[in-house]
Amino acid sequence: MTRLDREDAYLRTFTSELRSVRIDADGCWWCLRESCFYATGGGQPHDEGTLTTVDALGEDGDSWRVVGVETDDEALWHRVETDEAAWPPPPPGTRVRGRLDWERRFAHMQRHTAQHLLSQAFVRLDPAYATRSVALGSPDVTLDLAGEPDDGAVAAALALANEVATEALPISAFEVDEAELHAYALRRPPQVAGRVRLVRMGDWELSACGGTHLRNTAEALPLLALARERIRGGLTRVTFRAGLEALAHASATQAAAAAAARSLSAGIPELPERVLALQAETTAARRELAHARQLLAA
C-alpha cells in the first residue's frame, strides 16, 4: 500500500479505497489502498482521526473513528470504533475519505523533531551521552541517556538545541539501500534492514527514522527542560517539552508563579528568597511551639 505520510507529513485528508476488513479480539480493522495515518513505531504513537464512506457523487456517508493504527509486512491496518449506527462495515471497494486529528499529529511531529535535535545536542557535547530510548506518547517527552549527564550538561544541551532550532534548518527524508549506509554519518545505527529511511535536519542531524517530522527545525521551538533523574540500567532520564506544549507549560508555570508572588507581596524573581525565609520562620515557629507544649505539660 502507499504510505502518504511518508511523502507529505502535512497531508491532513485523503481519499482512498477500502481493500479489506478484519475483525478480531482487538476490534474492527480496515486496510486501505493508501493512507496518511501513521502507525505506532519508533517511540511515536499512532495517528487518530476518521474514515468516512464516500458515495458516487462524492458526498460523505457514515463516519468511523480511527483509534489505532498498526502495520505488518504488507499492509497498514486502521482500528475503527464499532458504532452500531454505522454497522456493518462497508464492503471492500468502497471509497473512503480519511481525516487526521491534526492537533494530535502536529504535537507528535513537534515532539519527534525536538527529540532528534536534543539527542544530537547531547552527542555533540559528549559522545558518551548517547540516546538509548525515547518516549513520545505524552507532552512530557523523555530521553534515556548513557554517560550520566548532570544538570549542567542538560542545560547546555537544551541551550544548544534551541539555538540550532532557530536557524530553521530544512528537514527532509529519503531512503537508501542498507549497503550504502557506510557513506552516511548517522547518529545511531538503524534498527531495520533493506531499504532504510533517513531523516536529515540541515547539516546538524542525520538518523534512520520512520516517523513524521516538521518542515524545519524552527517549528519545534521552544524546547523546555522539566526534569532529570537516574533510572535503572545506569541511564539518565531527561524529561522535556517542545513547541506548543512547551509554551502551554511555560504559560501555566508563569501564571502559578505570578499568583504565588501576589500572595507574598513579592515579585516573581524574589520568590525563591521569600520561600526560604518562610521556611526558616516556620521552622522557628515549630520549635517555639514544641517548647511551649513542654512547658504546658510540666
Side-chain angles (χ1 to χ4, degrees):
M1 69 165 295
T2 303
R3 294 285 302 274
L4 301 175
D5 57 300
R6 297 287 182 88
E7 302 172 3
D8 182 5
Y10 287 77
L11 184 64
R12 308 185 191 192
T13 64
F14 65 96
T15 301
S16 184
E17 179 182 303
L18 179 61
R19 294 177 59 185
S20 61
V21 175
R22 184 186 84 214
I23 299 176
D24 57 24
D26 294 325
C28 182
W29 300 84
W30 292 15
C31 176
L32 308 180
R33 188 170 299 279
E34 55 267 320
S35 175
C36 71
F37 282 82
Y38 179 80
T40 298
Q44 180 176 330
H46 61 79
D47 287 326
E48 295 184 357
T50 58
L51 293 174
T52 304
T53 58
V54 181
D55 63 21
L57 299 177
E59 299 295 327
D60 289 351
D62 293 329
S63 287
W64 304 68
R65 180 72 186 169
V66 177
V67 294
V69 186
E70 295 182 359
T71 185
D72 56 28
D73 294 335
E74 299 180 355
L76 192 74
W77 293 93
H78 308 70
R79 184 163 66 89
V80 299
E81 289 184 334
T82 53
D83 185 353
E84 292 183 1
W87 189 263
T94 300
R95 292 179 66 208
V96 296
R97 180 174 290 115
R99 294 183 176 87
L100 286 185
D101 178 342
W102 176 246
E103 183 177 348
R104 176 183 172 90
R105 159 66 75 80
F106 190 67
H108 292 166
M109 291 163 65
Q110 287 193 309
R111 296 172 194 171
H112 206 158
T113 295
Q115 177 264 304
H116 276 239
L117 286 168
L118 188 54
S119 289
Q120 182 63 249
F122 273 109
V123 171
R124 297 283 182 116
L125 287 178
D126 188 333
Y129 299 154
T131 298
R132 297 301 187 212
S133 65
V134 302
L136 306 169
S138 77
D140 294 346
V141 181
T142 61
L143 290 181
D144 293 346
L145 303 163
E148 302 184 7
D150 58 15
D151 288 340
V154 172
L158 259 293
L160 182 56
N162 275 297
E163 180 181 352
V164 170
T166 62
E167 298 177 13
L169 300 177
I171 300 174
S172 59
F174 58 98
E175 290 188 354
V176 301
D177 190 81
E178 180 184 10
E180 303 172 8
L181 289 175
H182 67 275
Y184 298 89
L186 302 181
R187 174 170 51 83
R188 58 182 301 182
Q191 305 297 314
V192 296
R195 296 291 291 177
V196 180
R197 183 174 185 262
L198 304 182
V199 172
R200 184 194 304 277
M201 300 181 182
D203 58 358
W204 173 257
E205 156 76 348
L206 180 62
S207 292
C209 181
T212 56
H213 287 276
L214 303 167
R215 291 193 181 102
N216 66 74
T217 57
E219 292 186 56
L221 289 168
L223 280 68
L224 178 66
L226 300 181
R228 180 187 68 87
E229 60 179 322
R230 294 281 293 160
I231 61 173
R232 290 180 299 175
L235 300 178
T236 299
R237 175 165 293 170
V238 174
T239 304
F240 73 95
R241 287 198 179 196
L244 297 176
E245 292 171 332
L247 290 174
H249 185 276
S251 179
T253 301
Q254 168 68 22
R262 285 193 300 270
S263 68
L264 296 175
S265 300
I268 292 178
E270 302 167 0
L271 278 177
E273 181 181 348
R274 293 300 300 272
V275 169
L276 289 175
L278 283 174
Q279 289 177 330
E281 292 174 8
T282 301
T283 299
R286 285 175 176 169
R287 289 173 179 168
E288 292 179 4
L289 179 59
H291 181 62
R293 285 174 173 168
Q294 290 176 351
L295 292 177
L296 180 61

